[in-house]
Amino acid sequence: MTNTKYKLLILVLVCCLTVCIYLNGTALASTPQWVRIVDDNVKLYTNANASKVTFELAKSYYLVVTAEVNGYYRVELMGNTLLFPTIVGYVNKNDVQEVTETPVTPLYPEQTLYVNSDSALLRLSPLDSAEVVITATNTQSVSFYGEITSQGETWYYVYYCGRFGYAPSSCFTNPNISLHPTPLPQEPITPPDVNDNPNGEITKPDSTAEAILIVFVVALAVALVVAIFAPQRKNH
């Protein structure tokens, strides 16, 4: 190749690299800092493939986003206090609403429940056969994180004396979680369909602009290839 061809090739590579950097930066910038739980029964997963549900999240509250993985947001909840340490999980991007403005605190409700039975056996999973990690006795307080239905029974996911675990909801007092002070967004009103073609005629979309753009791009690509690889005339 001549020096001119080398220069043109380098220019093309630089342009491609610039576009890649821009697109990558745009993708990173699109990850929100917070998301809001605006629907019922939104699940917090233990991983980014939704193979295991930790519990269902409190509607109307917020989660801190730390990363985006395979269509899921990795999120944090709770304020990392002594009784409510922060935990990490994953939510489906389609199950939450992105938030651009700083939410009003509390981001997530901190509910203290009390054992109202002889004892509450906290287990590794919401199953009667699961391993017991710790036992909370009558009148002891636990920190409530969420609930999950397993085998037709409601289980609470709680924190007690440095350990997390599940126990049937019947072992505790009921959580009293109010909606977040920020009003939930209103459901969008779908306008009725308007028949712009009452006679039933088939109308084709105008593709003139798209055709012109395609021809321009193809012509530009061909010209660039010819400019780089066509043999140059020698001066006699």
Side-chain angles (χ1 to χ4, degrees):
M1 289 186 179
T2 63
N3 290 336
T4 302
K5 291 180 179 179
Y6 275 122
K7 292 178 180 178
L8 289 173
L9 184 57
I10 291 173
L11 178 61
V12 172
L13 293 175
V14 169
C15 291
C16 292
L17 181 61
T18 302
V19 171
C20 290
I21 293 174
Y22 171 77
L23 292 177
N24 185 54
T26 302
L28 291 175
S30 65
T31 302
Q33 188 173 355
W34 305 277
V35 291
R36 192 177 191 189
I37 308 152
V38 295
D39 295 318
D40 295 313
N41 311 122
V42 174
K43 295 174 175 56
L44 180 73
Y45 298 98
T46 58
N47 47 47
N49 57 22
S51 62
K52 182 180 178 182
V53 178
T54 307
F55 54 82
E56 293 180 353
L57 295 158
K59 183 178 179 180
S60 79
Y61 285 86
Y62 297 83
L63 308 169
V64 177
V65 178
T66 59
E68 182 179 336
V69 184
N70 300 329
Y72 290 80
Y73 289 132
R74 187 172 68 209
V75 295
E76 296 179 350
L77 68 154
M78 293 303 182
N80 203 29
T81 59
L82 180 62
L83 297 179
F84 291 89
T86 297
I87 65 171
V88 177
Y90 294 82
V91 292
N92 191 309
K93 290 177 59 177
N94 298 323
D95 292 342
V96 291
Q97 182 184 71
E98 297 181 2
V99 176
T100 56
E101 298 181 356
T102 304
V104 176
T105 55
L107 298 183
Y108 201 80
E110 296 184 354
Q111 283 279 304
T112 300
L113 308 183
Y114 295 89
V115 179
N116 61 3
S117 58
D118 291 339
S119 63
L121 305 179
L122 273 59
R123 301 180 183 273
L124 281 178
S125 60
L127 298 169
D128 290 329
S129 58
E131 178 185 347
V132 175
V133 294
I134 195 171
T135 300
T137 57
N138 183 260
T139 71
Q140 292 296 306
S141 62
V142 300
S143 302
F144 174 79
Y145 278 67
E147 66 180 55
I148 185 173
T149 301
S150 176
Q151 297 182 336
E153 186 175 14
T154 300
W155 295 69
Y156 288 163
Y157 187 72
V158 299
Y159 177 77
Y160 172 72
C161 290
R163 305 296 297 271
F164 288 95
Y166 297 89
S169 60
S170 58
C171 296
F172 307 102
T173 56
N174 293 325
N176 183 21
I177 300 177
S178 302
L179 290 176
H180 190 274
T182 302
L184 286 164
Q186 297 295 321
E187 292 291 337
I189 300 176
T190 304
D193 293 333
V194 178
N195 188 358
D196 294 330
N197 189 14
N199 297 325
E201 298 177 355
I202 299 176
T203 57
K204 297 182 178 179
D206 185 9
S207 58
T208 304
E210 294 182 2
I212 294 175
L213 180 60
I214 292 173
V215 171
F216 174 76
V217 172
V218 172
L220 182 61
V222 171
L224 183 60
V225 171
V226 171
I228 295 176
F229 295 102
Q232 295 182 352
R233 296 183 179 179
K234 296 182 178 180
N235 295 327
H236 296 285

